[in-house]
């Protein structure tokens, strides 16, 4: 009992001491003593409280296979490692999470929050350990666990504070720039070495490939290796590469610890594995960059030489970083696309502005060469350092019309081009563009490619070498479906590379320029035509142009005068509509003039017309030969008339004379006298005709002199009527009406008589059915009037003006049997006018005529 009591007393004492040790350690733990100190104190306390020789804290190794003594006192060096799955009480304690007593060895689990930190073991003392001792050991182990937990919490707090600080820093950095290449590169700088020994940023491109934006390694040799790795093994979505896996999953992929096998799984082939082994990653994490549900890329972090490992707790930080980076990328992309859209809009605005300016400049002149020069000046430097404009001549030749250089060196360029003529059928270059109407763009032009359309390309290339040709474009000038020429744009000293956008702008400029060139060409042609028509107006011949469509285009003043049709009325009308029988006229009108009858708007004209085909149609020149034609006709009519007029009395004279000579007319005095009278009458008639003709000759040669006298008009009229009555015989119904008081008339009385005789004879002659013939004499304040009227055949309206013409007869062939020379009325008019009088006629066909002579009164 006593022994027992003694033992109890010892134990009580031992327990009291142990409690004091626990309390002391607890106080130290509470006062914030560092973990390492607490653990060291704990080990010492256990040794003291249990009077143990060996005390140690075992912790699981990194590979999780063994428990290793991390802090110990007196623990035999050979026993500081125990396999976790072995029979050692320490391992059993760890596995079963319960304290145990095995002979002289006691072990208690050090339990953290939810996880086992290790095992506190003690033994080797002289005294066997009791259950109370195990309790003491557990208390100390719990204290270690508590302090470890406190320490870890603190560490976690610190780490999360750090992480937050890091994220804030990263966030700031990511927000700083909208150029995400730069941003992500800086982010990589930030990450290494705080979060990784090396880090990679890969971005997904629109075409589905990956682009490595940033690679950072703390160790420069690894940086080199990483760069080489990227060149050879760019990430492939869905491959075993960490980034490939993260991209495919859209989430985070952890590689807590690489083994050779697990590393091999992340590689594509032996060489890849070889390179990766050199990089020697120990642990890695890859996280997808996701924004708006879209995987934009991946961040890959790896710990290597530092030997650190990524844990679950790192995932949060990495993911948060990735989330922010993805947002920054997304913002930058949005900004970029917005910027691009704005740039596109600005570019479009600038292009439109340029084209509007161009249109203004091009529209400002209708001078052909001025337009081309303006065009060339417009083109540089906006569309190149120099520009050459080529124009196709009507004969198909390509002519260089304008050269412009932004730096004013056009003379040099002109001289070079001058020395190297274009090859007309070159398969490329200016002739090809003109031939096909299709533009050419040579973005990376060389002197030899630029010289491909000339006769001796090498020679020109040599000259162009100096000019540093860099890029060329050639666009056709097309208007109204015709290629008028081409513009060559060359980028040289600016080293600008032409793009398809530049070509489009050049084509748009060319389209506008072509219209302007075409306009100025048309205007020039019109101007030339106007000049030509001015010249045409000054010539006496009628000139008109009939285009290929048969329309009258030009109609000069003479044409107006001859035909009575104005240019305004005829231009644009079909020639066939204007000229009756135009086809025949067009058919005969050649280079040598032909005289053709033309009926224009009811009037018959005789035109001598010639036609010459021109590029615009056929130009006709004509002259009015109607008068000549009529004179010709009149002359032939006169010959016919006169011969008839002479033959008739001559035949009568001849007949009478022969009868007188051959027949024996003795005793037939009556017949003989009649024949002699017939001879006398016909001779007189012959003499009258000859007199008339001779009189006309005198009139026209100026050999006729008229007297001027004051004459009694009644006397002359009376004498004329009486004589006519004598000539015509008693059957003629002649009347004279003379106004009561008449003034004297100023005239040559014999010529007045001649006129009146003629008019009365005509009145009798052209009244085959008889009828009254009157001569009325009257006067007003100025004139004395003699009017001879009949009720005979009359004269058609359209002939009234012509009967006074020389030789003019209504019936030249004398079909009506009325003889005459057509000279009577001509003589009358000539005489009256010479006596300062006037002769006129009014008539109704079938009803008779009145001829009126007015002479000035005295
Ligand atoms: P002619 O010798 O033919 O009579 P004139 O010069 O005297 O020549 O007349 C010219 C033409 O005028 C005549 O041929 C005739 O047709 C016409 N003429 C002249 N007088 C008359 C008239 N009184 N009645 C009708 N016709 C006339």
């Amino acid at each position: 009992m006593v022994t027992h009591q003694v033992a109890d007393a010892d134990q009580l004492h031992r327990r009291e001491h142990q409690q004091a040790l626990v309390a002391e350690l607890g106080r130290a733990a509470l006062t914030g003593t560092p973990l390492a100190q607490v653990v060291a104190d704990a080990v010492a306390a256990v040794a003291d409280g249990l009077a143990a020789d060996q005390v140690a804290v075992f912790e699981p190794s990194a590979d999780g296979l063994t428990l290793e003594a991390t802090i110990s006192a007196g623990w035999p060096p050979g026993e500081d490692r125990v396999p976790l799955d072995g029979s050692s009480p320490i391992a059993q304690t760890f596995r079963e999470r319960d304290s145990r007593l095995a002979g002289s060895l006691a072990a208690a689990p050090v339990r953290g929050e939810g996880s086992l930190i290790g095992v506190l073991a003690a033994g080797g003392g002289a005294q066997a350990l009791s259950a109370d001792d195990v309790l003491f050991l557990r208390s100390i182990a719990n204290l270690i666990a508590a302090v470890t937990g406190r320490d870890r919490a603190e560490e976690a707090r610190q780490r999360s504070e750090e992480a937050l600080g890091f994220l804030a820093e990263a966030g700031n950095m990511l927000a700083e720039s909208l150029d995400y290449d730069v941003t992500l590169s800086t982010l990589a700088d930030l990450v290494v070495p705080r979060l990784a020994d090396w880090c990679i940023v890969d971005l997904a491109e629109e075409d589905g490939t990956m682009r490595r934006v940033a690679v950072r390694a703390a160790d420069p040799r690894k940086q080199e290796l990483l760069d080489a790795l990227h060149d050879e093994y760019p990430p492939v979505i869905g491959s075993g590469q960490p980034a490939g896996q993260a991209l495919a999953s859209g989430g985070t992929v952890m590689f807590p610890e690489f083994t050779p096998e697990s590393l091999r799984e992340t590689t594509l082939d032996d060489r890849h594995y070889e390179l990766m082994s050199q990089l020697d990653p120990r642990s890695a994490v890859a996280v997808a960059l996701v924004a708006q549900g879209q995987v934009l890329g991946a961040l890959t972090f790896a710990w290597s030489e530092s030997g650190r490992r990524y844990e679950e707790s790192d995932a949060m930080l990495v993911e948060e970083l990735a989330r922010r980076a993805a947002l920054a990328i997304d913002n930058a992309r949005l900004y970029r696309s917005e910027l691009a859209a704005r740039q596109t809009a600005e570019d479009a605005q600038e292009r439109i502005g340029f084209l509007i300016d161009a249109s203004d400049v091009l529209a400002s002149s209708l001078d052909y060469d001025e337009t081309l020069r303006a065009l060339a000046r417009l083109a540089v430097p906006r569309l190149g350092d120099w520009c050459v404009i080529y124009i196709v001549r009507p004969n198909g030749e390509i002519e260089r019309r304008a050269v412009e250089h932004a730096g004013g060196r056009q003379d040099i360029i002109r001289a070079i081009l001058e020395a190297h003529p274009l090859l007309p059928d070159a398969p490329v270059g200016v002739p090809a563009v003109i031939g096909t109407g299709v533009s050419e763009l040579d973005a990376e032009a060389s002197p030899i490619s630029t010289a491909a359309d000339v006769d001796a390309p090498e020679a020109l290339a040599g000259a162009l070498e100096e000019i540093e040709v860099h890029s060329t474009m050639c666009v056709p000038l097309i208007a109204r479906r015709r290629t008028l020429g081409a513009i060559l744009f060359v980028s040289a000293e600016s080293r600008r590379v032409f793009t398809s956008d530049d070509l489009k702008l050049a084509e748009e400029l060319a389209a506008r320029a072509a219209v302007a060139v075409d306009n100025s060409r048309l205007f020039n042609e019109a101007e030339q035509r106007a000049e030509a028509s001015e010249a045409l107006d000054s010539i006496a011949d009628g000139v008109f142009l009939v285009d290929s469509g048969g329309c009258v285009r030009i109609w000069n003043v003479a044409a107006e005068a001859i035909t009575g049709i104005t240019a305004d009325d005829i231009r644009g009308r079909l020639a066939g509509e204007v000229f009756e029988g135009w086809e025949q006229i067009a058919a005969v009108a050649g280079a040598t003039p032909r005289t053709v009858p033309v009926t224009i708007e009811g009037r018959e004209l005789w035109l001598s017309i010639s036609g010459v085909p021109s590029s615009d149609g056929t130009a006709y020149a004509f002259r009015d030969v109607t008068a000549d034609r009529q004179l010709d006709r009149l002359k032939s009519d006169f010959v016919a008339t006169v011969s008839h007029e002479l033959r008739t009395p001559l035949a009568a004279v001849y007949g009478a004379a022969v009868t007188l000579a051959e027949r024996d007319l003795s005793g037939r005095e009556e017949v003989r006298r009649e024949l002699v009278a017939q001879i006398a009458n016909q001779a007189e008639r012959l003499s009258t005709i000859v007199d008339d003709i001779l009189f006309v000759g005198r009139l026209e040669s100026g050999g006729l002199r008229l007297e001027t006298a004051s004459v009694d008009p009644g006397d002359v009229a009376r004498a004329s009527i009486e004589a006519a009555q004598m000539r015509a015989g008693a059957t003629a119904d002649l009347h004279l009406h003379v106004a009561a008081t008449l003034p004297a008339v100023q005239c040559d009385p014999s010529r007045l008589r001649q006129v009146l005789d003629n008019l009365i004879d005509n009145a009798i002659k052209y009244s085959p059915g008889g009828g009254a013939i009157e001569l009325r004499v009257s006067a007003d304040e100025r004139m004395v009037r003699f009017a001879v009227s009949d009720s005979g055949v009359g004269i058609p309206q359209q002939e009234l003006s012509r009967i006074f013409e020389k030789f003019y007869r209504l019936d030249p062939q004398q079909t009506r049997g009325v003889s005459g020379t057509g000279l009577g009325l001509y003589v009358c008019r000539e005489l009256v006018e010479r006596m300062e009088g006037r002769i006129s006629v009014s008539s109704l066909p079938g009803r008779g005529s009145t001829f009126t002579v007015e002479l000035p009164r005295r």
Side-chain angles (χ1 to χ4, degrees):
M1 227 13 227
V2 171
T3 313
H4 188 73
Q5 275 175 346
V6 169
D8 278 354
D10 278 352
Q11 276 192 359
L12 194 67
H13 174 72
R14 188 176 167 108
R15 210 159 47 230
E16 279 171 0
H17 182 59
Q18 287 174 347
Q19 277 170 356
L21 286 170
V22 168
E24 179 59 32
L25 196 63
R27 216 176 10 259
L30 281 174
T31 55
T33 312
L35 177 67
Q37 184 63 56
V38 171
V39 176
D41 288 351
V43 168
V46 169
D48 182 4
L50 296 184
D53 296 335
Q54 313 166 359
V55 184
V57 176
F58 282 84
E59 281 181 63
S61 65
D63 56 14
L65 298 176
T66 53
L67 289 169
E68 293 168 1
T70 51
I71 295 172
S72 61
W75 202 271
E79 295 171 27
D80 59 356
R81 274 170 172 268
V82 291
L84 231 166
D85 54 356
S87 56
S88 143
I90 296 165
Q92 283 182 38
T93 302
F94 190 82
R95 287 201 302 269
E96 288 159 21
R97 300 173 164 239
D98 203 1
S99 46
R100 98 178 14 244
L101 180 62
S104 62
L105 181 76
V110 182
R111 276 188 289 239
E113 244 174 281
S115 69
L116 203 59
I117 299 165
V119 174
L120 176 62
Q127 215 174 334
L129 298 177
S130 68
D132 280 350
D133 292 333
V134 174
L135 271 177
F136 165 68
L137 193 67
R138 271 177 65 181
S139 297
I140 297 294
N142 285 345
L143 268 171
I144 292 172
V147 175
T148 305
R150 183 208 69 189
D151 217 52
R152 287 197 172 174
E154 175 63 18
E155 204 177 281
R157 192 186 60 76
Q158 265 181 19
R159 272 173 62 181
S160 86
E161 246 174 34
E162 258 178 46
L164 283 175
F166 175 72
L167 283 175
E169 199 177 334
N172 281 339
M173 184 174 288
L174 288 166
E176 234 164 50
S177 164
L178 280 166
D179 181 338
Y180 54 77
D181 274 20
V182 172
T183 305
L184 294 173
S185 204
T186 324
L187 177 73
D189 286 338
L190 189 72
V191 166
V192 176
R194 283 157 84 171
L195 207 62
D197 289 328
W198 45 265
C199 122
I200 300 168
V201 186
D202 294 305
L203 286 187
E205 291 291 290
E206 268 160 24
D207 61 3
T209 61
M210 301 302 298
R211 185 166 66 92
R212 188 149 290 183
V213 182
V215 176
R216 278 302 169 280
D219 178 346
R221 278 182 307 119
K222 296 218 163 148
Q223 175 88 40
E224 265 172 45
L225 266 172
L226 280 165
D227 286 337
L229 194 73
H230 169 237
D231 291 343
E232 277 184 61
Y233 298 97
V236 178
I237 299 171
S239 71
Q241 293 156 288
Q245 291 189 41
L247 284 166
S249 71
T252 308
V253 188
M254 303 276 298
F255 302 86
E257 179 149 19
F258 282 114
T259 60
E261 291 71 31
S262 65
L263 184 63
R264 186 171 277 281
E265 278 168 19
T266 68
T267 60
L268 301 174
D269 56 28
D270 287 348
R271 163 103 183 123
H272 192 191
Y273 177 70
E274 172 71 24
L275 288 169
M276 284 308 296
S277 303
Q278 288 178 46
L279 268 173
D280 187 29
R282 310 277 169 78
S283 177
V285 58
V287 58
L289 293 163
V290 182
Q292 298 185 42
Q294 214 195 333
V295 180
L296 308 177
L299 303 177
T300 309
F301 303 124
W303 288 124
S304 175
E305 60 273 12
S306 67
R308 292 169 65 178
R309 287 188 179 75
Y310 292 103
E311 292 169 20
E312 278 304 321
S313 57
D314 294 316
M316 188 276 288
L317 177 63
V318 167
E319 280 168 8
E320 190 54 32
L321 190 65
R323 207 172 62 79
R324 290 175 189 212
L327 276 174
I329 293 166
D330 197 42
N331 281 344
R333 280 195 175 167
L334 275 176
Y335 176 74
R336 209 176 258 196
S337 67
E338 210 163 88
L339 208 65
R342 205 184 314 152
Q343 189 62 47
T344 309
E346 275 170 15
D347 284 355
Q349 197 63 39
E350 193 267 336
R351 289 159 68 97
I352 290 166
F354 172 67
L355 290 172
I356 288 173
D357 288 351
S359 298
D360 284 352
V361 171
L362 290 169
S364 64
S365 168
L366 275 169
D367 179 86
Y368 187 62
D369 279 308
E370 179 52 41
T371 303
L372 294 179
R373 274 196 299 275
L375 172 60
R377 280 195 300 270
L378 251 171
V380 296
R382 177 63 180 85
L383 272 170
D385 297 318
W386 45 283
C387 135
V388 188
I389 301 175
Y390 295 90
I391 291 296
V392 185
R393 292 161 62 110
N395 64 3
E397 252 173 50
I398 300 171
E399 185 189 12
R400 202 185 52 255
R401 283 299 279 266
V403 177
E404 190 69 34
H405 180 259
R409 292 197 292 156
Q410 45 268 25
D411 288 345
I412 298 172
I413 291 158
R414 204 175 289 130
I416 292 174
L417 296 176
E418 198 76 56
H420 302 278
L422 284 173
L423 201 63
D425 47 1
V428 292
V430 175
V433 168
I434 288 175
T436 60
V438 178
S439 312
E440 273 183 13
L441 169 65
D442 190 358
E444 284 168 22
S446 63
I448 194 76
S449 72
T450 307
D453 58 358
V454 304
D455 239 346
E458 289 80 13
L460 175 57
L464 289 177
E465 197 82 61
E466 300 271 303
I467 295 177
E468 296 177 281
V469 172
H470 204 68
S471 208
T472 65
M473 312 190 266
C474 188
V475 295
L477 285 165
I478 301 176
R480 291 186 293 150
R481 297 201 184 158
R482 281 189 312 148
T483 305
L484 310 177
I487 317 178
L488 173 69
F489 301 94
V490 179
S491 143
E493 59 272 21
S494 68
R495 305 194 67 73
R496 165 174 172 189
V497 176
F498 290 135
T499 64
S500 59
D501 276 353
D502 293 324
L503 185 67
K504 230 180 274 166
L505 182 62
E507 282 173 342
E508 282 177 67
L509 175 69
R512 283 160 177 77
V515 172
V517 168
D518 192 40
N519 278 347
S520 66
R521 225 183 219 190
L522 286 175
F523 179 77
N524 276 7
E525 277 170 22
E527 221 175 34
Q528 273 170 18
R529 273 200 201 137
E531 277 167 18
S533 77
E534 228 166 74
L536 287 177
D537 284 347
S538 63
I539 57 176
D541 283 353
V543 175
F544 64 102
L545 178 80
V546 176
D547 68 16
S548 51
C551 278
V552 177
R553 288 294 167 211
I554 293 173
W555 189 254
N556 75 343
V557 169
E560 287 184 337
I562 294 167
T563 61
I565 304 174
T566 65
D568 288 345
D569 286 344
I570 200 169
R571 269 202 300 245
R573 275 171 70 193
L574 287 169
E577 270 177 28
V578 183
F579 303 94
E580 238 170 65
W582 171 248
E583 281 80 25
Q584 288 97 299
I585 300 168
V588 299
T592 38
R594 294 280 294 270
T595 301
V596 290
V598 180
T599 307
I600 298 175
E601 305 199 326
R603 257 181 77 208
E604 194 189 64
L605 289 175
W606 282 86
L607 303 181
S608 163
I609 186 166
S610 58
V612 184
S614 77
S615 59
D616 299 319
T618 307
Y620 294 92
F622 64 94
R623 191 167 289 184
D624 184 6
V625 294
T626 313
D628 303 354
R629 224 13 230 206
Q630 278 166 349
L631 197 62
D632 279 355
R633 208 181 63 188
L634 287 171
K635 276 178 182 159
S636 59
D637 287 352
F638 169 72
V639 171
T641 306
V642 168
S643 48
H644 179 266
E645 284 291 291
L646 293 174
R647 201 181 297 119
T648 314
L650 274 175
V653 168
Y654 179 74
V658 166
T659 309
L660 280 173
E662 291 180 356
R663 297 231 192 121
D664 178 13
L665 293 171
S666 50
R668 294 171 70 185
E669 187 59 21
E670 191 94 341
V671 175
R672 197 190 58 85
R673 233 185 287 133
E674 209 170 286
L675 286 170
V676 172
Q678 196 178 336
I679 291 172
N681 281 342
Q682 294 304 330
E684 196 192 335
R685 186 175 162 194
L686 280 170
S687 121
T688 308
I689 294 169
V690 173
D691 280 352
D692 279 356
I693 294 170
L694 291 175
F695 189 78
V696 169
R698 279 174 70 200
L699 264 179
E700 294 187 343
S701 68
L704 185 73
R705 298 196 132 253
L706 272 73
E707 296 168 22
T708 309
S710 183
V711 178
D712 179 344
D715 290 351
V716 182
R718 207 167 293 115
S720 186
I721 281 285
E722 279 168 7
Q725 191 76 61
M726 290 276 287
R727 282 195 302 276
T731 50
D733 186 10
L734 304 180
H735 304 272
L736 173 69
H737 300 281
V738 181
T741 52
L742 278 176
V745 63
Q746 181 89 9
C747 68
D748 179 329
S750 63
R751 297 303 158 209
L752 173 59
R753 174 69 195 279
Q754 188 182 347
V755 169
L756 293 178
D757 286 356
N758 209 318
L759 293 178
I760 295 167
D761 284 348
N762 272 357
I764 297 166
K765 214 162 57 167
Y766 296 104
S767 301
I773 288 154
E774 286 179 349
L775 170 56
R776 284 175 183 276
V777 187
S778 60
D780 61 17
E781 302 83 62
R782 291 176 51 235
M783 308 294 261
V784 176
R785 190 172 294 114
F786 303 86
V788 179
S789 51
D790 62 65
S791 50
V793 294
I795 305 157
Q797 197 66 28
Q798 70 268 19
E799 305 290 338
L800 288 176
S801 62
R802 307 201 60 193
I803 53 176
F804 295 99
E805 289 172 12
K806 191 165 63 176
F807 302 125
Y808 191 82
R809 303 199 74 220
L810 243 61
D811 181 20
Q813 309 307 320
Q814 301 182 11
T815 46
R816 294 201 200 115
V818 182
S819 64
T821 55
L823 292 173
L825 288 177
Y826 169 71
V827 168
C828 289
R829 191 191 67 188
E830 287 298 311
L831 292 176
V832 170
E833 284 178 359
R834 284 170 202 223
M835 292 185 288
E836 288 168 8
R838 208 162 59 198
I839 185 166
S840 60
V841 61
S842 68
S843 181
L844 276 175
R847 302 276 296 277
S849 318
T850 301
F851 286 85
T852 307
V853 173
E854 291 170 302
L855 289 170
R857 54 186 275 180
R858 179 146 177 94

